[in-house]
Amino acid sequence: MLRLGNRRSAFRKCFRHLSSSSHHEPQYDAVVVGGGHNGLTAAAYMAKSGMKVAVFERRYLVGGAAVTEEIVPGFRFSRASYVLSLLRPQIMSELKLADRGLKVHLRDPSSYTPIREELRTRPGLTSLTLGQSTEMNRMEIGKFSSRDSEAYEKFEDHLGSLVDIINPLLDHAPLDLNKFLQGSLSEKCSSFKELSPLWQAMKAVRKVDLEDIQEMITSPTSKILDVWFESDPLKATLATDACIGAMASPSTPGSGYVLLHHVMGGLNGVRGAWGYPEGGMGSVSNAIGDCAVEAGAQIFTDSPVESIDVTNQSVTGITIQRGGESLKIKAPLVLSNATPKVTFCNLLAKPQDHLPQDVLDRIEGIDYTSPVTKLNFAVNRLPNFEADPNQVPNEALPLHQSTIHLNCENMSLLEDAYASSVSKQSFSALPMIEMTIPSVLDSSLAPPGQHVCLVFSQYTPYDPLPSGWDAKTRDLYANLIVDTIESYAPGFRASIVGYEMLTPPDLESIFGLTGGNIFHGSMSLDQLYLSRPTSSRSMASPGTPIQGLLLAGSGAHPGGGVMGSPGRLAAKTAVEVAGKSWTFA
Ligand SMILES: Cc1cc2nc3c(=O)[nH]c(=O)nc-3n(C[C@H](O)[C@H](O)[C@H](O)COP(=O)(O)OP(=O)(O)OC[C@H]3O[C@@H](n4cnc5c(N)ncnc54)[C@H](O)[C@@H]3O)c2cc1C
């Protein structure tokens, strides 16, 4: 395995190659705007299918929101995304990512919810831990409610059967209604094959009650959980999966779908399991990038795309910025890994010349609200939780490898955290926190005995009152997070060696995530399947109204998370358009 520094210079070698051919406009079969994991996935599949491909990434490294960066000297952070589960299994196998050194540490236990003393209903009820073991889950949940301990396994099976319905839809483009209903005979015939995943989904539907499906898709998570369970810490812990990354609370109708989105993956054959990629999330992107380069793709970092060039409603290529100059690159296919908003509103010179007004209006209307602020801490010892204290100082306990849920003792806390953001355009004094410490399982991330602590928090508005994210507000929020962790794990503040905080505007400016939204647009029901990125028929994902322009990022079907599917699906269409054969399943 190359180290990150070496890999970056390998990508730069391609960059010099491009500089030396400056007399002619470089020409490719397809170019990819943005080197996020989806853009790299698209490049790898196209290159493996025999196409001449190049990726242009604006940052100094590839990976987008799936990167590892050394923010504090000696400490390597999964700077944005931090746990893996959703990556489609066929991408793992078709791109042979394990052979390229991608190793993922499965966490068990997977979740730990400490309970502050004042919220304990009985002495000794200090925390809830969940994991792979049925017996442990029964025992842990049984501390709070024997009814819940019986129901939990059934609930997991129930979610599993609902996921079986959605699963076939994740690896196929949604039905193109324009072609299916109004296309030529051959277009109609070809769109029949798009019906096959729908049939598979229908077959899975037969195993589930229709009313359960309707309930899961339309209900607030709180309503669903209230039917199944009675204990507060269990409900609140499960509810976090329904609102993570979403400006939604457990009582938002439709939040149940986000719950499914977070259990639809798996690792090493364990359904719904999440893990830490060795070397951080950048290892996922680097393994995919390596595969693309090995198959012949060229990857250029520090190469912002200025424009996607269009003549007569067809793309002709892109213009990139290089050393203060603009360079035109020709290609009949452009795959955009940038958000739909950036792709259409920032990169097309005159969007109104290429897109009907109603389509433009719909693109402008995509919901990019983000509740997320991420804090990455370098610490010189492990947090020691008052609820389950360490017997040996700085020794990793099983709880340290899990997602640690703070301010998550009951549903009201989550509701209040959300309400402050919406009604007061501010953050709650008790923000919802998910903390992970991947260095417990992966010693390559921090110096011996020291750790990286990744804190995913919400709900933080993009532009908090009274004065946005000015220095004072930043300081206030960072201190609030540190104080919260300190209240559960005394000594945390003193252990901090360095940190960074990424508010929604920071996520937008650093990673190019419109509005700071971690999924390139909310994963709400109105923005999924036929309606992702918009419900305009001329935008059947991954297609666009502009010939040769395809969407290859999380803003396309099936959406966000480190899944790779949008990139793979865009590549599949590109390979077909280029007249090459798709040799994958
Ligand atoms: C804080 C945070 C935590 C998250 N946690 C998780 C998690 O634990 N697990 C999980 O599965 N998902 C998580 N996510 C979501 C997940 O990371 C993203 O949905 C996913 O990585 C997006 O991948 P992508 O390839 O579609 O786009 P991106 O990763 O956004 O990549 C797009 C790329 O395009 C580049 N680009 C944009 N414009 C241009 C231009 N003009 N020229 C050149 N390049 C350009 C950008 O720089 C970027 O590199 C998290 C996201 C965030 C922000």
Side-chain angles (χ1 to χ4, degrees):
M1 245 328 239
L2 286 171
R3 301 225 332 263
L4 183 68
N6 295 340
R7 190 172 289 107
R8 271 171 53 196
S9 59
F11 293 155
R12 278 160 196 267
K13 218 187 292 167
C14 303
F15 184 81
R16 282 201 293 277
H17 172 72
L18 182 68
S19 322
S20 62
S21 58
S22 56
H23 296 313
H24 307 287
E25 285 179 10
Q27 168 118 28
Y28 294 90
D29 295 332
V31 291
V32 182
V33 179
H37 83 283
N38 272 313
L40 298 169
T41 302
Y45 277 100
M46 289 190 290
K48 278 171 91 68
S49 303
M51 293 172 69
K52 188 180 173 204
V53 178
V55 178
F56 296 90
E57 166 56 45
R58 57 193 258 287
R59 293 198 71 207
Y60 73 93
L61 83 174
V62 293
V67 279
T68 305
E69 290 185 75
E70 191 170 326
I71 302 301
V72 177
F75 295 82
R76 298 168 71 224
F77 294 91
S78 286
R79 197 177 180 193
S81 61
Y82 51 101
V83 271
L84 190 73
S85 173
L86 302 174
L87 187 67
R88 300 306 291 158
Q90 66 272 54
I91 295 179
M92 260 318 256
S93 57
E94 289 163 356
L95 303 187
K96 299 188 172 50
L97 300 184
D99 295 350
R100 290 173 204 288
L102 180 61
K103 180 177 168 196
V104 187
H105 298 277
L106 192 66
R107 300 125 21 108
D108 192 15
S110 49
S111 127
Y112 172 67
T113 308
I115 298 167
R116 265 174 293 147
E117 205 169 356
E118 63 271 25
L119 293 175
R120 289 177 197 158
T121 47
R122 277 205 315 270
L125 280 189
T126 58
S127 62
L128 169 71
T129 306
L130 299 173
Q132 311 302 334
S133 154
T134 309
E135 291 78 54
M136 187 198 77
N137 292 342
R138 277 212 179 151
M139 203 185 72
E140 278 289 309
I141 299 169
K143 293 190 305 196
F144 298 88
S145 154
S146 50
R147 188 196 121 182
D148 288 2
S149 74
E150 292 299 313
Y152 183 68
E153 224 177 304
K154 291 191 196 113
F155 178 71
E156 282 203 310
D157 290 345
H158 177 64
L159 289 189
S161 42
L162 293 171
V163 165
D164 285 344
I165 301 169
I166 296 163
N167 240 326
L169 307 179
L170 300 178
D171 303 316
H172 299 270
L175 186 64
D176 183 338
L177 284 176
N178 248 355
K179 276 194 200 159
F180 187 63
L181 298 173
Q182 286 150 358
S184 63
L185 188 61
S186 74
E187 280 177 330
K188 279 189 173 142
C189 290
S190 82
S191 59
F192 263 102
K193 65 175 187 279
E194 292 164 13
L195 288 176
S196 129
L198 283 173
W199 281 124
Q200 286 172 39
M202 290 305 281
K203 274 198 258 167
V205 166
R206 283 186 302 177
K207 295 186 195 144
V208 185
D209 289 336
L210 274 178
E211 53 274 32
D212 284 341
I213 301 169
Q214 180 174 345
E215 180 187 56
M216 181 55 77
I217 289 176
T218 57
S219 287
T221 304
S222 51
K223 191 172 163 195
I224 300 169
L225 292 174
D226 282 344
V227 171
W228 282 87
F229 304 114
E230 60 186 10
S231 65
D232 277 333
L234 178 64
K235 283 195 276 187
T237 302
L238 296 175
T240 57
D241 273 345
C243 32
I244 196 98
M247 192 52 110
S249 82
S251 63
T252 305
S255 50
Y257 177 79
V258 188
L259 185 70
L260 289 185
H261 195 77
H262 283 86
V263 293
M264 63 181 53
L267 275 180
N268 308 341
V270 182
R271 174 176 237 156
W274 292 76
Y276 302 127
E278 184 151 297
M281 289 300 272
S283 302
V284 180
S285 304
N286 287 336
I288 300 171
D290 282 350
C291 175
V293 169
E294 196 180 284
Q298 296 182 338
I299 298 177
F300 302 98
T301 49
D302 297 305
S303 302
V305 175
E306 262 179 2
S307 64
I308 295 172
D309 304 326
V310 181
T311 308
N312 298 330
Q313 279 305 100
S314 300
V315 288
T316 54
I318 55 173
T319 303
I320 64 158
Q321 207 17 264
R322 191 167 49 89
E325 284 179 21
S326 297
L327 175 70
K328 282 204 172 297
I329 314 248
K330 282 198 209 161
L333 281 164
V334 174
L335 283 74
S336 179
N337 186 194
T339 68
K341 176 89 186 280
V342 168
T343 304
F344 295 108
C345 304
N346 302 6
L347 296 179
L348 291 178
K350 288 190 185 151
Q352 66 280 10
D353 287 358
H354 309 297
L355 299 171
Q357 192 55 45
D358 69 304
V359 174
L360 267 179
D361 290 344
R362 284 179 196 274
I363 292 166
E364 289 287 353
I366 295 174
D367 177 14
Y368 287 105
T369 323
S370 170
V372 175
T373 289
K374 174 114 189 277
L375 294 98
N376 294 314
F377 292 99
V379 292
N380 61 19
R381 59 181 176 276
L382 278 171
N384 184 6
F385 287 90
E386 181 272 330
D388 293 278
N390 277 52
Q391 301 307 317
V392 179
N394 207 25
E395 184 187 57
L397 300 175
L399 67 89
H400 287 112
Q401 57 181 277
S402 65
T403 295
I404 298 162
H405 299 271
L406 305 181
N407 283 336
C408 206
E409 287 88 345
N410 59 55
M411 298 282 255
S412 314
L413 284 165
L414 307 186
E415 292 296 341
D416 291 349
Y418 169 72
S420 300
S421 176
V422 175
S423 63
K424 299 190 202 136
Q425 207 179 317
S426 181
F427 39 82
S428 148
L430 296 168
M432 173 182 129
I433 291 177
E434 285 201 353
M435 179 162 91
T436 48
I437 315 172
S439 47
V440 163
L441 293 180
D442 177 2
S443 60
S444 74
L445 299 175
Q450 310 199 46
H451 290 278
V452 289
C453 258
L454 315 177
V455 172
F456 188 95
S457 77
Q458 55 190 73
Y459 299 80
T460 51
Y462 186 91
D463 196 13
L465 291 173
S467 44
W469 288 102
D470 60 5
K472 192 172 150 209
T473 310
R474 293 181 75 87
D475 208 38
L476 204 68
Y477 192 70
N479 272 305
L480 174 63
I481 294 295
V482 173
D483 286 344
T484 305
I485 303 171
E486 179 82 19
S487 71
Y488 288 90
F492 179 75
R493 181 179 283 280
S495 73
I496 298 170
V497 175
Y499 84 98
E500 72 161 353
M501 182 168 86
L502 302 168
T503 64
D506 298 325
L507 294 173
E508 180 164 59
S509 65
I510 297 170
F511 300 103
L513 297 165
T514 304
N517 188 286
I518 71 169
F519 299 129
H520 287 204
S522 326
M523 297 286 289
S524 46
L525 286 175
D526 58 321
Q527 297 192 167
L528 290 173
Y529 197 62
L530 291 174
S531 302
R532 194 161 189 89
T534 78
S535 45
S536 163
R537 276 196 193 174
S538 57
M539 292 277 277
S541 181
T544 71
I546 298 167
Q547 209 177 339
L549 177 60
L550 300 171
L551 292 177
S554 296
H557 170 78
V562 182
M563 195 179 348
S565 206
R568 185 175 180 275
L569 291 176
K572 194 172 183 191
T573 302
V575 166
E576 273 165 27
V577 173
K580 305 279 183 188
S581 52
W582 181 262
T583 53
F584 310 96

